[in-house]
Amino acid sequence: MKEITVKKIACGLPSAEDVSKLMDAASVGFNPIDVVNWADFPYCPDVKFRVAHTGEAILVNYRVTEASVRAIAPVDQGRVWEDSCCEFFVRAEGEDEYYNFECNCVGTLLVNYGKKGDRHHAPESVLANVKRWSSLGREPFEERIGECSWELSLVIPATSLFNHDIKDLSGITLRGNFYKCGDLLQTPHFLSWSPIDLPQPCFHCPEFFGKLSFEK
């Protein structure tokens, strides 16, 4: 099982735009999202992420270089997985229910919670409180063919795990996985950080989540 020690950064609740430089200053390293789990989808763009926390929020920073980029989903809770999309799925230890934070390359977000096959949208207040920043801006656009590098940062308050009462992330352990996909891109792909042993593409598989140990 893959494992990350999630470094604690003492910085209050930062803006999403400041996440990258805060992580640089704290020497938070990158992890590759490079597991090609399904031979029918061999394309592997260059994708990496890093994760930290402030006690009251999870900070995530993605960096991507891919052969095309797409951001068509017009509003939150739309079909962002069909665009150039980075995803973070997370659950409490010992539970089947999990949260998915799926964000396309311009910061349009989908958040659900529940078990596989029985999932429900997060309240609007949850989406409103997740801060997002993208190097590509925030406006939707049709697919752009040609190599593109982009960066995405999220600030996910602990309150975004809305079915749990987590006041401080310090010292807790969660299970999670990080993904990169693009179902309707010119070259579809389905990459993960922690490997998935299933016959067909599926990210909704908490049994394959890795371990996230949050520093005190």
Side-chain angles (χ1 to χ4, degrees), residues 43 45 65-69 144-148 186-187:
Y43 176 56
T65 299
E66 57 186 333
S68 69
V69 65
R144 300 171 182 170
I145 306 299
E147 186 173 279
C148 179
Q186 177 180 255
T187 309

Side-chain angles (χ1 to χ4, degrees), residues 100-178:
N100 54 294
F101 295 86
E102 306 181 19
C103 197
N104 75 4
C105 59
V106 295
T108 306
L109 185 63
L110 167 68
V111 183
N112 289 336
Y113 174 76
K115 295 182 180 180
K116 182 180 177 181
D118 183 23
R119 304 193 54 70
H120 310 281
H121 281 339
E124 286 296 323
S125 58
V126 169
L127 284 101
N129 287 330
V130 176
K131 300 180 182 180
R132 320 130 198 208
W133 172 83
S134 169
S135 62
L136 296 176
R138 293 297 308 275
E139 294 300 317
F141 57 82
E142 298 287 336
E143 186 170 9
R144 300 171 182 170
I145 306 299
E147 186 173 279
C148 179
S149 295
W150 51 276
E151 182 175 357
L152 174 70
S153 293
L154 303 177
V155 178
I156 303 172
T159 54
S160 299
L161 307 179
F162 56 90
N163 212 56
H164 295 76
D165 184 22
I166 301 175
K167 293 183 170 59
D168 188 349
L169 293 154
S170 304
I172 73 169
T173 299
L174 299 174
R175 302 283 174 168
N177 210 346
F178 296 83

Side-chain angles (χ1 to χ4, degrees), residues 35-38 41 43 180-183 188-192 201 203:
V35 181
V36 177
N37 298 285
W38 300 285
F41 300 95
Y43 176 56
K180 169 67 177 72
C181 65
D183 289 32
H189 52 276
F190 306 91
L191 308 177
S192 67
F203 290 162

Side-chain angles (χ1 to χ4, degrees), residues 41-113:
F41 300 95
Y43 176 56
C44 185
D46 181 14
V47 187
K48 55 189 177 182
F49 76 96
R50 51 187 174 171
V51 58
H53 80 99
T54 68
E56 61 180 315
I58 302 170
L59 314 179
V60 187
N61 177 233
Y62 301 94
R63 291 188 183 172
V64 179
T65 299
E66 57 186 333
S68 69
V69 65
R70 179 188 195 264
I72 289 178
V75 294
D76 287 349
Q77 301 294 48
R79 300 173 68 85
V80 296
W81 64 89
E82 296 177 347
D83 292 338
S84 298
C85 188
C86 292
E87 304 184 355
F88 169 47
F89 284 30
V90 64
R91 66 173 172 87
E93 291 229 75
E95 295 187 9
D96 294 329
E97 296 87 355
Y98 58 95
Y99 301 89
N100 54 294
F101 295 86
E102 306 181 19
C103 197
N104 75 4
C105 59
V106 295
T108 306
L109 185 63
L110 167 68
V111 183
N112 289 336
Y113 174 76

